[in-house]
Amino acid sequence: MALSCHSALKEIKGSTDFTFALAGNPNVGKSSIFNRLTGMGVVTANYPGKTVELNLATTNFKDQRIGIIDLPGSYALGAVSEDQWVARRAIFDCKPDVAIMILDATNLARNLYMLIQFIDLGIPIVAALNLIDEAEKRNILIDSGELSRILGIPIVKTIATTGSGLDELIQQAVDTAKNKTGISYSLHYGDDIETNIKKLEEILMPYNFGINPRALSIMLLENDSEFIELVGKHENGKSIIEEANKISREIEELHREKTPLRIARERHGLAGSIASQVQGDVKPIASDKIWAYTTSPLTGIPLLIGVLAIIFSFLFYGGNWLSTFFSNQWATYVSPVINDAIHYVFGSGIIGKILIWGFDAGILAALAVGIPYVLTFYFMLAFLEDSGYLNSVAFLTDRLMHKFGLHGRAIIPLVAGAGCNVPAIIGTRVLTTMRERTIASTLITLIPCSARTAVILGAVSLFVGWKPAVAIYLIIFALVFVVGAGLNKIMPGKSTGLVMEMFPFRMPMMSNILKKTWYRFKDFVFVAFPIVLVGSMVLGGLYESGYLWKLASPLSPIVEGWLGLPAVAGLTLIFAVLRKELALQLLVTLAVVMYGGGAKDLLLFMTPAQLFVYALVNTIYIPCVATIAVLGRELGWKRAFGIMAFTITLAILIGGIASRIIGYYHLL
């Protein structure tokens, strides 16, 4: 459920005793802590014109009702990207009683940067020193008491995966919220920077801009456009901004670098100094060595190829075996019962035949595609995510991503696109510019999602062989490279640098993997099954009434003439806009009805070459309606329609060329 951000924040603020905001970078277990604190009943909210979501929930703690705002994971509180802007905006608009900063105990200095920004804002803060178990493995012994003294805030050691320390964390937040009037911070930058901040602070003191004068001083010196605009609207705003610019020039002359860069450097230096005072030396452990192996091109690329080979082999052998098993068992034991029951109740007329299309052939198609390929892929994706391997892939592929006008962090939504394009496109919010998000989203629509993988494996590898199936993937990867490089040259601008934590490798917890797998697969169960059922009956009605061939005939020039496919197969491609795996499921349904329930029906219905072209076209062309909808929401409908038109044209062009090459050289 989504609410407008302002109404959602107002609602949660007004219905709770205290409101806490969870902040931190994307890889410190913030989401795990949020889920453990809140459980069910989570709502999402968007700021007008922004696509990055806030997660909002309430929880009860010792007879007190507490609202939790899960801010977008980010590395700073600037206004560079949407995640940073939304996190900062939520803090200013909601004014939470306490900000709970989640820190990575294995990389303290890097995490202290944003905590210092929160301290600059002057709001009450409690910090969770998370991943403390991983830090101890590295012999990183952090003196949390000394860290608390230096920062002037409570520090609680936590382990998000087990829930350790969370009760104490919330208790500290409640205590801080009750006593926030006595909060004062003593962190300072270098003397000259502090002198200039105080100089501007004194100028701002008589005015009320709804923000701490020190925080506003720093924002103005950092040349923050949002706050320059805010001050500029004041009657004395012009003179204040002129004074800020004058002070900024003095800092630049002294340090010979831009003031925003100097302040950032001071903040990084302060974070490093604090970290060195409270922690011991780092002891490398096995996961660090694994990280080094997976991120070095010499060893990382062969490992990545090996991982992809394992995934494909697992899907090919395991998926094909499961698909054949389901088909055979269904044809032997289930299909006769369903057919007899429908004939008994509805007779053998057109209604009975249409119902058989849905409840026999349709359900068989859904099971024979969904469980062997979709479910197994989601399981493997969850394993790779929880192990931390996807983050090392981001570092490994950073140089390659720059050829597409992206950076290594973009590889995570691209890999996620192999599961489902919808959350992958939403995941492009981690990219800082619309240019990067447009390029990444276009490439994601070309990545074979689990539904399209089901078509490739269920139609090509099962009936034609694994080599043609691999060939389709190679063609798609080549297209992704060409399209990415082309968009990078055509679209103005350039990619930003990679900023990401070194997330430690760890053995995934099977319970978390199973939860993630089911969370993703339940969409297939509850959404895809009804669509397959209804789609199969609609197709059955068209088939039994004879209209199927009439509707297919207008497609003949392109489908038969150019692609070399049966016209009716082209009709299933149109149906597949609802869900991509529906193309294969309806094709299987047609084959089952026409030729019976054996495992080799598709080869009776289409030639190996036609199955190859069919799967290739289905993989490339326009994504499903859910992907189209999220493209429109994330990028705007102009860009969404442009991507749709491009992929349709590309699919028809590549499909026709492939058909002619296969026919000319007799490849299949």
Side-chain angles (χ1 to χ4, degrees), residues 11 47 68 82 186 216 241 244 257 284-285 296 323 339 387 416 439 481 493 517 546 549 599 612 623 642 667:
E11 180 179 327
Y47 274 87
I68 307 289
E82 283 197 4
S186 57
L216 183 56
I241 292 173
E257 62 182 344
I285 61 173
S296 170
S323 182
N339 277 265
S387 69
I439 293 174
F481 186 87
T517 302
W549 316 109
F612 180 91
L667 297 178

Side-chain angles (χ1 to χ4, degrees), residues 169-473:
L169 178 68
I170 296 302
Q171 185 62 62
Q172 286 285 2
V174 170
D175 293 343
T176 301
K178 290 179 179 178
N179 302 296
K180 58 185 177 182
T181 53
I183 290 174
S184 62
Y185 301 113
S186 57
L187 282 185
H188 296 289
Y189 300 117
D191 289 343
D192 61 290
I193 296 292
E194 279 296 332
T195 299
N196 285 294
I197 290 174
K198 284 182 170 55
K199 191 186 301 183
L200 184 54
E201 195 176 343
E202 290 174 1
I203 296 172
L204 292 169
M205 199 71 73
Y207 309 105
N208 181 15
F209 290 100
I211 179 176
N212 181 298
R214 174 181 171 83
L216 183 56
S217 299
I218 294 172
M219 295 290 187
L220 293 177
L221 291 175
E222 288 185 308
N223 200 29
D224 191 294
S225 58
E226 180 183 358
F227 289 95
I228 290 174
E229 182 181 354
L230 172 68
V231 173
K233 292 178 180 178
H234 192 273
E235 58 181 351
N236 296 321
K238 186 176 180 181
S239 61
I240 293 173
I241 292 173
E242 286 177 355
E243 284 296 322
N245 290 337
K246 179 182 176 182
I247 294 171
S248 178
R249 285 193 295 271
E250 292 175 3
I251 295 173
E252 290 178 11
E253 289 173 4
L254 179 63
H255 294 282
R256 299 184 181 277
E257 62 182 344
K258 295 292 184 181
T259 302
L261 180 59
R262 184 62 205 176
I263 293 176
R265 198 184 301 280
E266 291 273 340
R267 196 175 284 134
H268 277 297
L270 182 58
S273 174
I274 294 171
S276 65
Q277 294 178 59
V278 300
Q279 71 180 21
D281 295 330
V282 178
K283 175 185 176 182
I285 61 173
S287 64
D288 295 330
K289 295 178 181 178
I290 295 173
W291 178 272
Y293 284 127
T294 56
T295 54
S296 170
L298 187 63
T299 53
I301 292 175
L303 282 171
L304 178 58
I305 294 172
V307 169
L308 294 176
I310 291 171
I311 292 173
F312 182 82
S313 299
F314 189 82
L315 288 172
F316 176 75
Y317 292 107
N320 287 359
W321 181 84
L322 283 173
S323 182
T324 302
F325 175 80
F326 272 118
S327 297
N328 290 339
Q329 296 301 308
W330 186 276
T332 303
Y333 299 107
V334 182
S335 184
V337 175
I338 292 177
N339 277 265
D340 290 344
I342 291 176
H343 284 150
Y344 179 79
V345 177
F346 297 97
S348 57
I350 188 170
I351 294 178
K353 291 179 180 178
I354 291 173
L355 291 175
I356 288 174
W357 272 78
F359 290 96
D360 183 11
I363 294 177
L364 167 60
L367 289 174
V369 172
I371 293 177
Y373 303 113
V374 179
L375 180 62
T376 51
F377 180 82
Y378 281 150
F379 178 83
M380 289 184 290
L381 181 63
F383 182 89
L384 293 176
E385 286 177 335
D386 280 18
S387 69
Y389 180 66
L390 290 187
N391 274 54
S392 66
V393 173
F395 278 89
L396 179 66
T397 58
D398 184 49
R399 183 174 296 181
L400 174 64
M401 289 294 102
H402 276 280
K403 295 183 182 296
F404 303 155
L406 304 171
H407 55 68
R409 205 173 171 197
I411 196 66
I412 294 179
L414 286 174
V415 171
C420 179
N421 287 173
V422 173
I425 291 170
I426 294 173
T428 62
R429 296 170 182 174
V430 301
L431 306 179
T432 55
T433 67
M434 180 56 72
R435 177 184 188 270
E436 291 176 342
R437 295 181 64 191
T438 301
I439 293 174
S441 296
T442 304
L443 298 183
I444 287 169
T445 62
L446 294 175
I447 298 292
C449 63
S450 59
R452 287 180 277 189
T453 290
V455 176
I456 296 170
L457 298 181
V460 180
S461 71
L462 185 61
F463 298 109
V464 185
W466 68 269
K467 291 181 181 179
V470 171
I472 290 179
Y473 284 106

Side-chain angles (χ1 to χ4, degrees), residues 561-580:
W562 174 248
L563 298 176
L565 302 176
V568 70
L571 200 61
T572 65
L573 289 173
I574 293 177
F575 273 94
V577 174
L578 295 174
R579 289 186 69 93
K580 296 296 273 188

Side-chain angles (χ1 to χ4, degrees), residues 62-116:
K62 295 183 179 180
D63 299 324
Q64 296 178 91
R65 191 160 178 78
I66 296 171
I68 307 289
I69 304 172
D70 185 23
L71 303 178
S74 63
Y75 295 90
L77 273 182
V80 176
S81 60
E82 283 197 4
D83 54 0
Q84 293 184 23
W85 188 92
V86 170
R88 190 173 75 178
R89 194 71 265 151
I91 290 293
F92 290 141
D93 288 347
C94 183
K95 294 180 173 59
D97 297 293
V98 174
I100 300 178
M101 174 65 64
I102 316 299
L103 304 175
D104 179 357
T106 68
N107 197 354
L108 185 60
R110 177 70 184 88
N111 282 238
L112 286 175
Y113 183 90
M114 188 160 72
L115 175 57
I116 293 171

